[in-house]
Amino acid sequence: MPETLREMQRRFLAGIVGDDGEAEELIVDDDRVGARRRLDIYRNNYRASLTGVLADHYERLHAYLGDEQFDNVAQAYVTAHPSTTRNLRYYGEALPAFLAKHFPADGELAELAALDWALRHAFDARDTAMLDAAAVGALGDAWIEQRLVLHPSVRLLRVRFNVAALWSALDAEQEPPEPVAFASPVALLVWRSGQQPSFRSLPEAEADALAQFEAGSSFTDLSAHVIAAMGEAGAMESLAAWLGRWLADGVLILAD
C-alpha cells in the first residue's frame, strides 16, 4: 500500500533530525551527488539553522565562549534537543538547564544563559496595562486590596555568580571579569522598560517582596508580610521606596 504524504514527511524529518537511514529511499540517487550526500546536506542545513538561532538568542553567552566553543555547545544541544516548535523564537529554552547539567564546574555559563533568555523573553512578552502612578491615582485606595501579579515581561532570577557584571561587560564589548561565586545567591530583576529589556540586582528583602506578588498577594497582604519581617517603621520606609520604583519601572499589573 503506497505510503501517505504525511508518512513520507515523517520519515524524511526523522532522517534529517536523527540518523534514520531509511530516509535515503525518499531521495533521488544519482552519480553526481547521491542520496546519502543529499541527506547530509539537509542535515547540515537543519543543524546550522538551529545553532544560528541559539547564537541569536544567547548573544552574550556566545561572546563569552567564543565561536568555536559556543558552536560545540550548540551542536551538542541540538543533538539532545531537536526542535519541537513551529516558532523558532522558543527554541533553546532548555539551554540553561543543559549547561547546568553538563558543565557543573562552570556555573556562570548556565546563569549567563538564563539572563540572556530572560532578557529575550522580556523583549517579546505580551503588552498589557501596567500599574503606574496614573493608574494608582485613578483607582484611589481600592487598588491596595486588589491582587497584584508581575508584568508578563518580568522574571526573577537567583544567581550564584557575578553574571550581571559579565553580561554588562560583554554587552559593552569589553573584556569580561573573571567569574566569581557569591557567598549566597543574589536576586536579579529582569523586565521591559518601555521597549528596552533591562535588569538590576535586588536587595533580598525587595526580592522577597516581589515574590509575594508571584504568589498573588495584594499590597495590603504584602504590607502585613513586610511589617512582620522588619517592624512597622522599617517596613513603611521600604514599602514606599519599593512601590515608587515598581510603579516607575512598570513591573506590576492588576490580576484579572
Side-chain angles (χ1 to χ4, degrees), residues 115-116 118-124 153 167 190-199:
L115 181 54
D116 264 340
L119 287 163
R120 177 56 65 99
H121 165 81
F123 181 79
D124 288 342
S153 70
W167 195 99
V190 181
W191 81 103
R192 185 175 64 224
S193 179
Q195 298 301 315
Q196 182 64 40
S198 304
F199 70 89

Side-chain angles (χ1 to χ4, degrees), residues 46-179:
Y46 164 79
R47 297 179 70 85
S49 294
L50 291 186
T51 56
V53 167
L54 293 174
D56 180 60
H57 289 172
Y58 294 97
E59 288 186 79
R60 305 300 169 259
L61 177 68
H62 183 189
Y64 185 67
L65 289 174
D67 291 341
E68 184 176 353
Q69 287 188 328
F70 183 86
D71 189 63
N72 290 338
V73 168
Q75 291 285 350
Y77 180 83
V78 170
T79 299
H81 295 269
S83 177
T84 59
T85 174
R86 294 176 182 270
N87 187 342
L88 288 178
R89 157 64 187 89
Y90 302 105
Y91 181 71
E93 184 175 10
L95 183 60
F98 179 85
L99 292 169
K101 177 181 178 180
H102 293 283
F103 300 92
D106 301 297
E108 79 277 7
L109 299 182
E111 293 185 355
L112 185 58
L115 181 54
D116 264 340
W117 187 264
L119 287 163
R120 177 56 65 99
H121 165 81
F123 181 79
D124 288 342
R126 66 181 176 87
D127 290 322
T128 189
M130 65 186 68
L131 186 68
D132 57 15
V136 167
L139 290 167
D141 291 341
W143 75 272
I144 66 172
E145 301 293 343
Q146 293 185 247
R147 192 167 66 89
L148 303 175
V149 294
L150 301 180
H151 188 276
S153 70
V154 172
R155 290 290 183 270
L156 285 172
L157 302 180
R158 298 278 180 173
V159 298
R160 298 179 298 111
F161 290 86
N162 57 331
V163 291
L166 289 171
W167 195 99
S168 296
L170 293 163
D171 185 55
E173 299 184 350
Q174 298 173 352
E175 185 69 20
E178 290 296 316

